[in-house]
Amino acid sequence: MIYLDHAATTPLRPEAREAMAPFHGERFGNPSGAHAVARRAKNAVEAAREEAAELIGADHPLDVVFTSGATEADNLAVLGAALAKGRRGGIVTTAVEHEAVLEAAAFAGGLGCPVDVVGVDGRGVVDPAAVAAAAGPGTAVVSVMAANNETGARQPVAKVAHAVRAHAPQALVHCDAVQAFVSEDVSVAGLDADLVALSAHKLGGPQGTGLLFVRSGVELEPVLHGGGQELGRRSGTHNVAGIVGMVAAMRATVAERAGFRQRVAEARRRFEARITAAAPDAAFTLDPPDRVVQHSHLRIPGLRADTMLILLDGAGVAASAGSACSSGAVETSHVLAAMGMPASAAAECLRFTFGWDHRPEDGDAAGEAVAAVIGRLR
Ligand code: PLP
Protein backbone atom coordinates (compact mmCIF):
# COMPACT_ATOMS: atom_id res chain seq x y z
CA MET A 1 0.00 0.00 0.00
CA ILE A 2 1.24 3.49 -0.83
CA TYR A 3 -0.16 5.51 2.05
CA LEU A 4 -0.82 9.14 1.11
CA ASP A 5 -3.37 10.05 3.76
CA HIS A 6 -1.21 11.45 6.55
CA ALA A 7 -3.65 14.31 7.10
CA ALA A 8 -6.23 11.70 8.20
CA THR A 9 -3.85 9.79 10.44
CA THR A 10 -0.20 8.77 10.45
CA PRO A 11 1.58 5.50 11.08
CA LEU A 12 2.99 5.36 14.61
CA ARG A 13 6.59 6.49 14.87
CA PRO A 14 8.91 3.87 16.40
CA GLU A 15 9.96 6.42 19.02
CA ALA A 16 6.34 6.69 20.17
CA ARG A 17 5.78 2.93 20.16
CA GLU A 18 8.89 2.38 22.27
CA ALA A 19 8.07 5.14 24.73
CA MET A 20 4.54 3.80 25.20
CA ALA A 21 5.38 0.12 25.69
CA PRO A 22 6.12 0.21 29.46
CA PHE A 23 2.80 1.97 30.08
CA HIS A 24 0.93 -0.88 28.42
CA GLY A 25 2.82 -3.18 30.79
CA GLU A 26 4.30 -2.79 34.25
CA ARG A 27 3.87 1.00 34.47
CA PHE A 28 0.08 0.83 34.35
CA GLY A 29 -0.72 3.22 37.25
CA ASN A 30 -3.42 5.87 37.47
CA PRO A 31 -1.53 9.15 38.06
CA SER A 32 -4.22 10.38 40.46
CA GLY A 33 -3.53 7.67 43.06
CA ALA A 34 -1.57 7.98 46.32
CA HIS A 35 0.94 5.13 46.08
CA ALA A 36 4.17 4.30 44.32
CA VAL A 37 2.50 2.73 41.27
CA ALA A 38 0.45 5.90 40.78
CA ARG A 39 3.44 8.16 41.39
CA ARG A 40 5.45 6.48 38.66
CA ALA A 41 2.64 7.17 36.20
CA LYS A 42 2.24 10.74 37.47
CA ASN A 43 5.97 11.35 37.07
CA ALA A 44 5.75 10.20 33.46
CA VAL A 45 2.80 12.51 32.74
CA GLU A 46 4.52 15.49 34.38
CA ALA A 47 7.80 14.83 32.55
CA ALA A 48 5.81 14.65 29.31
CA ARG A 49 4.04 17.90 30.17
CA GLU A 50 7.35 19.65 30.78
CA GLU A 51 8.75 18.46 27.47
CA ALA A 52 5.56 19.26 25.53
CA ALA A 53 5.65 22.80 26.93
CA GLU A 54 9.26 23.18 25.87
CA LEU A 55 8.58 21.83 22.38
CA ILE A 56 5.84 24.39 21.72
CA GLY A 57 7.66 27.21 23.49
CA ALA A 58 5.18 27.55 26.39
CA ASP A 59 6.40 29.46 29.44
CA HIS A 60 5.20 26.91 31.95
CA PRO A 61 4.46 23.14 31.92
CA LEU A 62 1.05 23.84 33.47
CA ASP A 63 0.12 25.74 30.32
CA VAL A 64 -0.32 22.30 28.71
CA VAL A 65 -3.67 20.50 29.18
CA PHE A 66 -3.74 16.92 27.95
CA THR A 67 -6.91 15.90 26.08
CA SER A 68 -8.30 12.98 24.11
CA GLY A 69 -7.33 14.62 20.83
CA ALA A 70 -7.73 17.85 18.92
CA THR A 71 -11.51 17.58 18.70
CA GLU A 72 -11.65 17.85 22.47
CA ALA A 73 -8.90 20.50 22.54
CA ASP A 74 -10.78 22.65 19.99
CA ASN A 75 -14.05 22.20 21.92
CA LEU A 76 -12.34 23.15 25.18
CA ALA A 77 -10.81 26.24 23.55
CA VAL A 78 -13.95 27.49 21.80
CA LEU A 79 -16.65 26.49 24.28
CA GLY A 80 -14.38 26.95 27.28
CA ALA A 81 -13.56 30.53 26.32
CA ALA A 82 -17.08 31.49 25.20
CA LEU A 83 -18.75 30.09 28.34
CA ALA A 84 -16.08 31.10 30.89
CA LYS A 85 -17.22 32.95 34.02
CA GLY A 86 -20.88 32.22 33.26
CA ARG A 87 -20.84 34.42 30.16
CA ARG A 88 -22.18 33.93 26.67
CA GLY A 89 -19.14 35.36 24.94
CA GLY A 90 -18.89 35.88 21.21
CA ILE A 91 -16.98 33.58 18.87
CA VAL A 92 -15.32 34.69 15.64
CA THR A 93 -13.94 32.02 13.35
CA THR A 94 -13.41 31.25 9.67
CA ALA A 95 -15.41 29.33 7.10
CA VAL A 96 -12.60 26.82 6.50
CA GLU A 97 -12.03 25.58 10.07
CA HIS A 98 -12.23 21.92 11.00
CA GLU A 99 -15.66 20.71 12.14
CA ALA A 100 -14.29 20.48 15.69
CA VAL A 101 -14.23 24.29 15.75
CA LEU A 102 -17.23 25.02 13.53
CA GLU A 103 -19.57 22.58 15.27
CA ALA A 104 -18.41 23.70 18.74
CA ALA A 105 -19.13 27.29 17.66
CA ALA A 106 -22.56 26.27 16.32
CA PHE A 107 -23.34 24.53 19.62
CA ALA A 108 -22.29 27.65 21.55
CA GLY A 109 -24.51 29.67 19.19
CA GLY A 110 -27.45 27.54 20.28
CA LEU A 111 -26.64 28.46 23.88
CA GLY A 112 -26.81 32.17 23.06
CA CYS A 113 -23.21 33.00 22.14
CA PRO A 114 -22.98 35.33 19.13
CA VAL A 115 -21.06 33.54 16.35
CA ASP A 116 -19.41 35.17 13.34
CA VAL A 117 -17.94 33.05 10.56
CA VAL A 118 -15.59 35.05 8.36
CA GLY A 119 -15.14 34.08 4.69
CA VAL A 120 -11.90 33.40 2.85
CA ASP A 121 -10.45 34.29 -0.55
CA GLY A 122 -10.04 31.95 -3.51
CA ARG A 123 -6.91 30.43 -1.95
CA GLY A 124 -8.78 29.70 1.27
CA VAL A 125 -6.97 32.42 3.21
CA VAL A 126 -8.59 34.81 5.67
CA ASP A 127 -7.96 38.53 5.72
CA PRO A 128 -6.68 39.49 9.20
CA ALA A 129 -8.46 42.84 8.99
CA ALA A 130 -11.78 41.13 8.22
CA VAL A 131 -11.37 38.82 11.23
CA ALA A 132 -10.49 41.76 13.48
CA ALA A 133 -13.45 43.75 12.15
CA ALA A 134 -15.79 40.89 13.09
CA ALA A 135 -14.46 40.91 16.67
CA GLY A 136 -16.00 43.40 19.09
CA PRO A 137 -16.16 44.13 22.81
CA GLY A 138 -18.32 41.02 23.41
CA THR A 139 -15.96 38.63 21.61
CA ALA A 140 -14.51 35.97 23.91
CA VAL A 141 -12.48 34.00 21.38
CA VAL A 142 -11.21 34.18 17.82
CA SER A 143 -10.34 30.81 16.29
CA VAL A 144 -8.13 30.52 13.20
CA MET A 145 -6.34 27.37 12.07
CA ALA A 146 -2.65 27.31 11.12
CA ALA A 147 -3.03 25.02 8.10
CA ASN A 148 -6.14 23.62 6.48
CA ASN A 149 -6.66 19.86 6.70
CA GLU A 150 -8.11 19.60 3.18
CA THR A 151 -6.09 21.98 1.02
CA GLY A 152 -3.07 22.56 3.26
CA ALA A 153 -3.66 26.35 3.00
CA ARG A 154 -1.55 28.28 5.50
CA GLN A 155 -3.26 31.02 7.46
CA PRO A 156 -1.59 34.24 8.68
CA VAL A 157 -2.36 33.40 12.32
CA ALA A 158 0.10 35.85 13.92
CA LYS A 159 -1.21 38.68 11.72
CA VAL A 160 -4.78 37.78 12.71
CA ALA A 161 -3.74 37.77 16.38
CA HIS A 162 -2.05 41.16 15.98
CA ALA A 163 -5.10 42.69 14.30
CA VAL A 164 -7.49 41.19 16.86
CA ARG A 165 -5.43 42.41 19.82
CA ALA A 166 -5.52 45.96 18.45
CA HIS A 167 -9.26 45.84 17.83
CA ALA A 168 -10.66 43.59 20.61
CA PRO A 169 -7.92 43.20 23.22
CA GLN A 170 -10.07 41.10 25.57
CA ALA A 171 -10.59 38.36 22.94
CA LEU A 172 -8.54 35.19 23.25
CA VAL A 173 -6.88 33.87 20.11
CA HIS A 174 -7.17 30.13 19.51
CA CYS A 175 -5.22 28.30 16.82
CA ASP A 176 -5.86 24.75 15.64
CA ALA A 177 -2.28 23.87 14.65
CA VAL A 178 -3.00 20.17 14.05
CA GLN A 179 -1.95 20.03 10.38
CA ALA A 180 0.90 22.52 10.64
CA PHE A 181 2.96 20.97 13.42
CA VAL A 182 4.71 18.28 11.36
CA SER A 183 6.28 20.68 8.89
CA GLU A 184 6.06 24.24 10.25
CA ASP A 185 8.01 25.68 13.16
CA VAL A 186 4.96 25.94 15.40
CA SER A 187 5.43 27.85 18.65
CA VAL A 188 2.94 29.66 20.82
CA ALA A 189 4.99 32.85 20.49
CA GLY A 190 5.24 32.53 16.70
CA LEU A 191 1.48 32.11 16.43
CA ASP A 192 0.91 34.77 19.10
CA ALA A 193 -1.98 32.60 20.34
CA ASP A 194 -3.51 32.17 23.81
CA LEU A 195 -4.79 28.69 22.99
CA VAL A 196 -3.27 26.10 20.62
CA ALA A 197 -4.65 22.64 19.80
CA LEU A 198 -2.53 19.67 18.69
CA SER A 199 -3.35 16.04 17.92
CA ALA A 200 -0.89 13.17 18.45
CA HIS A 201 -2.01 10.97 15.58
CA LYS A 202 -1.31 13.59 12.93
CA LEU A 203 2.37 13.63 13.84
CA GLY A 204 3.30 10.00 14.33
CA GLY A 205 1.79 9.63 17.80
CA PRO A 206 -1.11 7.44 18.90
CA GLN A 207 -4.78 8.09 18.12
CA GLY A 208 -6.96 9.43 20.93
CA THR A 209 -4.47 11.87 22.46
CA GLY A 210 -3.93 15.58 22.07
CA LEU A 211 -3.26 18.74 23.97
CA LEU A 212 -4.43 22.28 24.40
CA PHE A 213 -1.93 25.00 25.22
CA VAL A 214 -3.66 27.45 27.59
CA ARG A 215 -1.70 30.61 28.28
CA SER A 216 -1.16 31.23 32.01
CA GLY A 217 -4.02 33.19 33.53
CA VAL A 218 -6.58 32.22 30.88
CA GLU A 219 -9.78 30.88 32.43
CA LEU A 220 -11.82 28.31 30.55
CA GLU A 221 -15.11 26.64 31.41
CA PRO A 222 -14.35 22.90 31.40
CA VAL A 223 -16.09 20.75 28.81
CA LEU A 224 -15.60 17.50 30.73
CA HIS A 225 -16.72 17.51 34.36
CA GLY A 226 -15.67 14.92 36.89
CA GLY A 227 -12.67 14.15 39.06
CA GLY A 228 -10.90 17.46 38.46
CA GLN A 229 -7.73 16.21 36.76
CA GLU A 230 -5.58 18.71 34.83
CA LEU A 231 -6.21 21.35 37.54
CA GLY A 232 -9.95 21.00 36.99
CA ARG A 233 -9.62 22.02 33.34
CA ARG A 234 -10.15 18.49 31.96
CA SER A 235 -11.53 15.70 34.10
CA GLY A 236 -10.89 12.07 33.26
CA THR A 237 -8.18 9.53 33.97
CA HIS A 238 -5.05 10.36 32.01
CA ASN A 239 -4.18 8.33 28.94
CA VAL A 240 -0.64 7.89 30.25
CA ALA A 241 0.70 5.77 27.40
CA GLY A 242 -0.92 8.10 24.87
CA ILE A 243 0.54 11.21 26.49
CA VAL A 244 4.02 9.71 26.66
CA GLY A 245 3.74 8.49 23.05
CA MET A 246 2.52 11.86 21.81
CA VAL A 247 5.42 13.71 23.38
CA ALA A 248 7.94 11.19 21.99
CA ALA A 249 6.43 11.78 18.54
CA MET A 250 6.53 15.57 19.05
CA ARG A 251 10.20 15.34 20.06
CA ALA A 252 11.06 13.34 16.93
CA THR A 253 8.98 15.67 14.74
CA VAL A 254 10.70 18.80 16.00
CA ALA A 255 14.16 17.22 15.74
CA GLU A 256 13.55 16.12 12.14
CA ARG A 257 11.43 18.99 10.85
CA ALA A 258 14.02 20.58 8.57
CA GLY A 259 14.83 17.21 7.00
CA PHE A 260 11.13 16.40 6.74
CA ARG A 261 10.49 19.57 4.78
CA GLN A 262 13.27 18.75 2.31
CA ARG A 263 12.35 15.09 1.83
CA VAL A 264 8.64 15.68 1.55
CA ALA A 265 9.01 18.72 -0.75
CA GLU A 266 11.03 16.55 -3.12
CA ALA A 267 8.59 13.61 -2.86
CA ARG A 268 5.69 15.93 -3.58
CA ARG A 269 7.52 17.62 -6.46
CA ARG A 270 8.19 14.25 -8.12
CA PHE A 271 4.62 13.10 -7.43
CA GLU A 272 3.09 16.20 -8.97
CA ALA A 273 5.44 16.09 -11.97
CA ARG A 274 4.27 12.53 -12.81
CA ILE A 275 0.64 13.56 -12.52
CA THR A 276 1.15 16.63 -14.69
CA ALA A 277 2.87 14.44 -17.30
CA ALA A 278 -0.12 12.06 -17.35
CA ALA A 279 -2.76 14.79 -17.15
CA PRO A 280 -1.47 18.21 -18.26
CA ASP A 281 -4.86 19.69 -17.31
CA ALA A 282 -4.53 18.56 -13.67
CA ALA A 283 -5.27 21.62 -11.54
CA PHE A 284 -3.40 21.99 -8.25
CA THR A 285 -5.58 23.93 -5.85
CA LEU A 286 -2.75 25.98 -4.32
CA ASP A 287 0.74 27.06 -5.34
CA PRO A 288 3.56 25.61 -3.21
CA PRO A 289 4.20 28.66 -0.96
CA ASP A 290 0.49 28.90 -0.11
CA ARG A 291 0.26 25.38 1.32
CA VAL A 292 2.09 23.25 3.83
CA VAL A 293 4.71 21.07 2.20
CA GLN A 294 3.03 17.71 2.81
CA HIS A 295 -0.26 18.51 1.02
CA SER A 296 -1.08 17.91 -2.62
CA HIS A 297 -4.69 18.87 -3.33
CA LEU A 298 -5.73 18.67 -6.96
CA ARG A 299 -8.48 18.22 -9.48
CA ILE A 300 -8.43 16.06 -12.57
CA PRO A 301 -11.12 17.62 -14.79
CA GLY A 302 -13.76 15.14 -15.87
CA LEU A 303 -12.79 12.44 -13.34
CA ARG A 304 -14.93 12.11 -10.25
CA ALA A 305 -13.01 11.85 -6.98
CA ASP A 306 -15.16 9.00 -5.63
CA THR A 307 -14.45 6.90 -8.73
CA MET A 308 -10.74 7.77 -8.56
CA LEU A 309 -10.57 6.79 -4.89
CA ILE A 310 -12.04 3.35 -5.56
CA LEU A 311 -9.59 2.71 -8.39
CA LEU A 312 -6.68 4.13 -6.40
CA ASP A 313 -7.58 1.87 -3.49
CA GLY A 314 -7.62 -1.09 -5.87
CA ALA A 315 -4.20 0.00 -7.16
CA GLY A 316 -2.82 0.13 -3.61
CA VAL A 317 -2.90 3.90 -3.11
CA ALA A 318 -4.59 5.32 -0.01
CA ALA A 319 -5.76 8.89 -0.65
CA SER A 320 -8.77 10.95 0.24
CA ALA A 321 -11.28 13.43 -1.08
CA GLY A 322 -11.26 16.24 1.42
CA SER A 323 -11.72 15.37 5.04
CA ALA A 324 -12.54 11.92 6.36
CA CYS A 325 -15.92 11.94 8.02
CA SER A 326 -17.15 9.27 10.39
CA SER A 327 -19.30 7.51 7.79
CA GLY A 328 -16.46 7.40 5.25
CA ALA A 329 -18.80 9.18 2.86
CA VAL A 330 -17.52 11.95 0.62
CA GLU A 331 -19.55 15.06 1.28
CA THR A 332 -19.35 18.40 -0.48
CA SER A 333 -16.47 20.18 1.15
CA HIS A 334 -17.32 23.31 3.13
CA VAL A 335 -13.72 24.40 2.61
CA LEU A 336 -13.85 24.30 -1.19
CA ALA A 337 -17.31 25.88 -1.16
CA ALA A 338 -15.95 28.74 0.99
CA MET A 339 -13.17 29.22 -1.59
CA GLY A 340 -15.84 29.70 -4.25
CA MET A 341 -15.31 26.39 -6.03
CA PRO A 342 -18.46 25.07 -7.76
CA ALA A 343 -19.75 21.73 -6.35
CA SER A 344 -19.09 20.01 -9.70
CA ALA A 345 -15.39 20.92 -9.53
CA ALA A 346 -15.15 20.11 -5.80
CA ALA A 347 -16.43 16.60 -6.58
CA GLU A 348 -13.28 16.08 -8.68
CA CYS A 349 -10.81 17.10 -5.97
CA LEU A 350 -8.39 14.65 -4.38
CA ARG A 351 -6.12 15.05 -1.38
CA PHE A 352 -2.75 13.32 -1.17
CA THR A 353 -0.79 13.93 2.01
CA PHE A 354 2.81 12.86 2.67
CA GLY A 355 4.39 12.17 6.04
CA TRP A 356 7.33 11.27 8.23
CA ASP A 357 7.94 7.84 6.66
CA HIS A 358 8.20 9.08 3.06
CA ARG A 359 11.40 9.35 1.07
CA PRO A 360 11.76 11.42 -2.14
CA GLU A 361 11.54 8.29 -4.34
CA ASP A 362 8.13 7.45 -2.85
CA GLY A 363 6.86 10.43 -4.84
CA ASP A 364 7.82 8.66 -8.10
CA ALA A 365 6.07 5.40 -7.22
CA ALA A 366 2.98 7.19 -5.95
CA GLY A 367 2.84 9.51 -8.96
CA GLU A 368 3.15 6.58 -11.36
CA ALA A 369 0.37 4.68 -9.61
CA VAL A 370 -1.97 7.69 -9.78
CA ALA A 371 -0.98 8.37 -13.40
CA ALA A 372 -1.86 4.76 -14.29
CA VAL A 373 -5.34 5.16 -12.80
CA ILE A 374 -5.85 8.42 -14.69
CA GLY A 375 -4.73 6.64 -17.87
CA ARG A 376 -7.25 3.85 -17.33
CA LEU A 377 -10.13 6.26 -16.78
CA ARG A 378 -9.26 8.40 -19.76
N1 PLP B 1 -8.37 19.85 13.57
C1 PLP B 1 -7.84 19.53 12.38
C2 PLP B 1 -7.30 20.61 11.49
C3 PLP B 1 -7.80 18.19 11.97
O1 PLP B 1 -7.27 17.87 10.78
C4 PLP B 1 -8.32 17.21 12.84
C5 PLP B 1 -8.35 15.79 12.43
O2 PLP B 1 -8.97 15.43 11.45
C6 PLP B 1 -8.86 17.59 14.08
C7 PLP B 1 -8.87 18.93 14.40
C8 PLP B 1 -9.41 16.59 15.04
O3 PLP B 1 -8.37 15.88 15.65
P1 PLP B 1 -8.61 14.52 16.44
O4 PLP B 1 -8.67 13.45 15.41
O5 PLP B 1 -7.39 14.40 17.32
O6 PLP B 1 -9.84 14.66 17.24
Side-chain angles (χ1 to χ4, degrees), residues 261-276:
R261 281 196 287 263
Q262 276 187 350
R263 272 185 293 124
V264 166
E266 178 59 12
R268 190 186 73 178
R269 191 191 64 73
R270 294 189 191 189
F271 174 75
E272 294 183 350
R274 302 255 162 173
I275 291 180
T276 304

PDB file of all heavy atoms in Angstrom, residues 261-276:
ATOM      1  N   ARG A 261      10.916  18.606   5.812  1.00  0.00           N
ATOM      2  CA  ARG A 261      10.495  19.574   4.777  1.00  0.00           C
ATOM      3  C   ARG A 261      11.202  19.299   3.457  1.00  0.00           C
ATOM      4  O   ARG A 261      10.582  19.320   2.402  1.00  0.00           O
ATOM      5  CB  ARG A 261      10.802  21.009   5.245  1.00  0.00           C
ATOM      6  CG  ARG A 261       9.789  21.544   6.228  1.00  0.00           C
ATOM      7  CD  ARG A 261       9.887  23.063   6.352  1.00  0.00           C
ATOM      8  NE  ARG A 261      11.069  23.488   7.086  1.00  0.00           N
ATOM      9  CZ  ARG A 261      11.063  23.789   8.388  1.00  0.00           C
ATOM     10  NH1 ARG A 261       9.953  23.720   9.097  1.00  0.00           N
ATOM     11  NH2 ARG A 261      12.174  24.176   8.975  1.00  0.00           N
ATOM     12  N   GLN A 262      12.500  19.002   3.541  1.00  0.00           N
ATOM     13  CA  GLN A 262      13.266  18.753   2.309  1.00  0.00           C
ATOM     14  C   GLN A 262      12.814  17.480   1.620  1.00  0.00           C
ATOM     15  O   GLN A 262      12.564  17.462   0.418  1.00  0.00           O
ATOM     16  CB  GLN A 262      14.741  18.616   2.665  1.00  0.00           C
ATOM     17  CG  GLN A 262      15.432  19.948   2.759  1.00  0.00           C
ATOM     18  CD  GLN A 262      16.929  19.795   2.951  1.00  0.00           C
ATOM     19  OE1 GLN A 262      17.427  18.693   3.193  1.00  0.00           O
ATOM     20  NE2 GLN A 262      17.641  20.902   2.866  1.00  0.00           N
ATOM     21  N   ARG A 263      12.712  16.400   2.401  1.00  0.00           N
ATOM     22  CA  ARG A 263      12.354  15.089   1.829  1.00  0.00           C
ATOM     23  C   ARG A 263      10.956  15.133   1.221  1.00  0.00           C
ATOM     24  O   ARG A 263      10.712  14.653   0.112  1.00  0.00           O
ATOM     25  CB  ARG A 263      12.365  14.012   2.928  1.00  0.00           C
ATOM     26  CG  ARG A 263      13.695  13.345   3.153  1.00  0.00           C
ATOM     27  CD  ARG A 263      13.560  12.223   4.161  1.00  0.00           C
ATOM     28  NE  ARG A 263      13.248  12.721   5.484  1.00  0.00           N
ATOM     29  CZ  ARG A 263      12.206  12.381   6.225  1.00  0.00           C
ATOM     30  NH1 ARG A 263      11.335  11.508   5.775  1.00  0.00           N
ATOM     31  NH2 ARG A 263      12.008  12.890   7.421  1.00  0.00           N
ATOM     32  N   VAL A 264      10.037  15.694   1.980  1.00  0.00           N
ATOM     33  CA  VAL A 264       8.638  15.684   1.547  1.00  0.00           C
ATOM     34  C   VAL A 264       8.422  16.656   0.382  1.00  0.00           C
ATOM     35  O   VAL A 264       7.654  16.365  -0.536  1.00  0.00           O
ATOM     36  CB  VAL A 264       7.713  15.962   2.751  1.00  0.00           C
ATOM     37  CG1 VAL A 264       6.301  16.297   2.300  1.00  0.00           C
ATOM     38  CG2 VAL A 264       7.693  14.738   3.659  1.00  0.00           C
ATOM     39  N   ALA A 265       9.134  17.773   0.383  1.00  0.00           N
ATOM     40  CA  ALA A 265       9.010  18.715  -0.746  1.00  0.00           C
ATOM     41  C   ALA A 265       9.455  18.021  -2.027  1.00  0.00           C
ATOM     42  O   ALA A 265       8.820  18.166  -3.081  1.00  0.00           O
ATOM     43  CB  ALA A 265       9.852  19.963  -0.498  1.00  0.00           C
ATOM     44  N   GLU A 266      10.525  17.232  -1.935  1.00  0.00           N
ATOM     45  CA  GLU A 266      11.032  16.546  -3.120  1.00  0.00           C
ATOM     46  C   GLU A 266      10.069  15.419  -3.535  1.00  0.00           C
ATOM     47  O   GLU A 266       9.791  15.236  -4.721  1.00  0.00           O
ATOM     48  CB  GLU A 266      12.449  16.012  -2.849  1.00  0.00           C
ATOM     49  CG  GLU A 266      13.075  15.231  -3.991  1.00  0.00           C
ATOM     50  CD  GLU A 266      13.216  16.005  -5.320  1.00  0.00           C
ATOM     51  OE1 GLU A 266      13.039  17.238  -5.334  1.00  0.00           O
ATOM     52  OE2 GLU A 266      13.459  15.345  -6.347  1.00  0.00           O
ATOM     53  N   ALA A 267       9.561  14.674  -2.547  1.00  0.00           N
ATOM     54  CA  ALA A 267       8.592  13.606  -2.859  1.00  0.00           C
ATOM     55  C   ALA A 267       7.371  14.195  -3.548  1.00  0.00           C
ATOM     56  O   ALA A 267       6.899  13.682  -4.558  1.00  0.00           O
ATOM     57  CB  ALA A 267       8.188  12.869  -1.580  1.00  0.00           C
ATOM     58  N   ARG A 268       6.886  15.312  -3.011  1.00  0.00           N
ATOM     59  CA  ARG A 268       5.690  15.932  -3.577  1.00  0.00           C
ATOM     60  C   ARG A 268       5.977  16.494  -4.967  1.00  0.00           C
ATOM     61  O   ARG A 268       5.149  16.390  -5.869  1.00  0.00           O
ATOM     62  CB  ARG A 268       5.191  17.038  -2.645  1.00  0.00           C
ATOM     63  CG  ARG A 268       3.823  17.561  -3.058  1.00  0.00           C
ATOM     64  CD  ARG A 268       3.405  18.746  -2.220  1.00  0.00           C
ATOM     65  NE  ARG A 268       4.153  19.939  -2.579  1.00  0.00           N
ATOM     66  CZ  ARG A 268       3.959  21.128  -2.032  1.00  0.00           C
ATOM     67  NH1 ARG A 268       3.054  21.285  -1.077  1.00  0.00           N
ATOM     68  NH2 ARG A 268       4.665  22.172  -2.404  1.00  0.00           N
ATOM     69  N   ARG A 269       7.169  17.061  -5.144  1.00  0.00           N
ATOM     70  CA  ARG A 269       7.523  17.616  -6.461  1.00  0.00           C
ATOM     71  C   ARG A 269       7.514  16.502  -7.510  1.00  0.00           C
ATOM     72  O   ARG A 269       6.938  16.646  -8.591  1.00  0.00           O
ATOM     73  CB  ARG A 269       8.907  18.278  -6.394  1.00  0.00           C
ATOM     74  CG  ARG A 269       9.252  19.101  -7.617  1.00  0.00           C
ATOM     75  CD  ARG A 269      10.713  19.507  -7.640  1.00  0.00           C
ATOM     76  NE  ARG A 269      11.623  18.367  -7.743  1.00  0.00           N
ATOM     77  CZ  ARG A 269      11.828  17.623  -8.839  1.00  0.00           C
ATOM     78  NH1 ARG A 269      11.170  17.917  -9.938  1.00  0.00           N
ATOM     79  NH2 ARG A 269      12.673  16.603  -8.830  1.00  0.00           N
ATOM     80  N   ARG A 270       8.135  15.373  -7.174  1.00  0.00           N
ATOM     81  CA  ARG A 270       8.187  14.254  -8.124  1.00  0.00           C
ATOM     82  C   ARG A 270       6.787  13.710  -8.392  1.00  0.00           C
ATOM     83  O   ARG A 270       6.434  13.392  -9.528  1.00  0.00           O
ATOM     84  CB  ARG A 270       9.066  13.132  -7.560  1.00  0.00           C
ATOM     85  CG  ARG A 270      10.530  13.518  -7.431  1.00  0.00           C
ATOM     86  CD  ARG A 270      11.316  12.287  -7.077  1.00  0.00           C
ATOM     87  NE  ARG A 270      12.674  12.605  -6.677  1.00  0.00           N
ATOM     88  CZ  ARG A 270      13.601  11.681  -6.486  1.00  0.00           C
ATOM     89  NH1 ARG A 270      13.319  10.393  -6.646  1.00  0.00           N
ATOM     90  NH2 ARG A 270      14.810  12.020  -6.111  1.00  0.00           N
ATOM     91  N   PHE A 271       5.999  13.589  -7.327  1.00  0.00           N
ATOM     92  CA  PHE A 271       4.624  13.097  -7.426  1.00  0.00           C
ATOM     93  C   PHE A 271       3.814  13.980  -8.384  1.00  0.00           C
ATOM     94  O   PHE A 271       3.173  13.494  -9.321  1.00  0.00           O
ATOM     95  CB  PHE A 271       4.013  13.111  -6.017  1.00  0.00           C
ATOM     96  CG  PHE A 271       2.557  12.777  -5.941  1.00  0.00           C
ATOM     97  CD1 PHE A 271       2.125  11.468  -6.090  1.00  0.00           C
ATOM     98  CD2 PHE A 271       1.607  13.766  -5.694  1.00  0.00           C
ATOM     99  CE1 PHE A 271       0.772  11.153  -6.012  1.00  0.00           C
ATOM    100  CE2 PHE A 271       0.269  13.459  -5.615  1.00  0.00           C
ATOM    101  CZ  PHE A 271      -0.157  12.148  -5.772  1.00  0.00           C
ATOM    102  N   GLU A 272       3.899  15.284  -8.167  1.00  0.00           N
ATOM    103  CA  GLU A 272       3.095  16.202  -8.971  1.00  0.00           C
ATOM    104  C   GLU A 272       3.596  16.254 -10.414  1.00  0.00           C
ATOM    105  O   GLU A 272       2.799  16.416 -11.349  1.00  0.00           O
ATOM    106  CB  GLU A 272       3.054  17.586  -8.300  1.00  0.00           C
ATOM    107  CG  GLU A 272       2.300  17.515  -6.969  1.00  0.00           C
ATOM    108  CD  GLU A 272       2.131  18.856  -6.250  1.00  0.00           C
ATOM    109  OE1 GLU A 272       2.761  19.857  -6.670  1.00  0.00           O
ATOM    110  OE2 GLU A 272       1.358  18.896  -5.273  1.00  0.00           O
ATOM    111  N   ALA A 273       4.898  16.081 -10.605  1.00  0.00           N
ATOM    112  CA  ALA A 273       5.441  16.085 -11.969  1.00  0.00           C
ATOM    113  C   ALA A 273       4.892  14.888 -12.752  1.00  0.00           C
ATOM    114  O   ALA A 273       4.532  15.016 -13.926  1.00  0.00           O
ATOM    115  CB  ALA A 273       6.965  16.043 -11.923  1.00  0.00           C
ATOM    116  N   ARG A 274       4.805  13.727 -12.106  1.00  0.00           N
ATOM    117  CA  ARG A 274       4.272  12.533 -12.807  1.00  0.00           C
ATOM    118  C   ARG A 274       2.795  12.732 -13.168  1.00  0.00           C
ATOM    119  O   ARG A 274       2.359  12.318 -14.231  1.00  0.00           O
ATOM    120  CB  ARG A 274       4.369  11.296 -11.913  1.00  0.00           C
ATOM    121  CG  ARG A 274       5.766  10.997 -11.475  1.00  0.00           C
ATOM    122  CD  ARG A 274       6.346   9.827 -12.218  1.00  0.00           C
ATOM    123  NE  ARG A 274       7.790   9.881 -12.045  1.00  0.00           N
ATOM    124  CZ  ARG A 274       8.624   8.956 -12.428  1.00  0.00           C
ATOM    125  NH1 ARG A 274       8.179   7.888 -13.055  1.00  0.00           N
ATOM    126  NH2 ARG A 274       9.908   9.074 -12.213  1.00  0.00           N
ATOM    127  N   ILE A 275       2.070  13.345 -12.252  1.00  0.00           N
ATOM    128  CA  ILE A 275       0.643  13.561 -12.517  1.00  0.00           C
ATOM    129  C   ILE A 275       0.463  14.563 -13.657  1.00  0.00           C
ATOM    130  O   ILE A 275      -0.346  14.354 -14.563  1.00  0.00           O
ATOM    131  CB  ILE A 275      -0.084  14.018 -11.235  1.00  0.00           C
ATOM    132  CG1 ILE A 275      -0.105  12.837 -10.257  1.00  0.00           C
ATOM    133  CG2 ILE A 275      -1.501  14.502 -11.536  1.00  0.00           C
ATOM    134  CD1 ILE A 275      -0.782  13.114  -8.970  1.00  0.00           C
ATOM    135  N   THR A 276       1.251  15.619 -13.630  1.00  0.00           N
ATOM    136  CA  THR A 276       1.151  16.627 -14.694  1.00  0.00           C
ATOM    137  C   THR A 276       1.512  16.019 -16.047  1.00  0.00           C
ATOM    138  O   THR A 276       0.907  16.360 -17.075  1.00  0.00           O
ATOM    139  CB  THR A 276       2.083  17.824 -14.381  1.00  0.00           C
ATOM    140  OG1 THR A 276       1.732  18.314 -13.088  1.00  0.00           O
ATOM    141  CG2 THR A 276       1.924  18.943 -15.385  1.00  0.00           C
TER     142      THR A 276
END
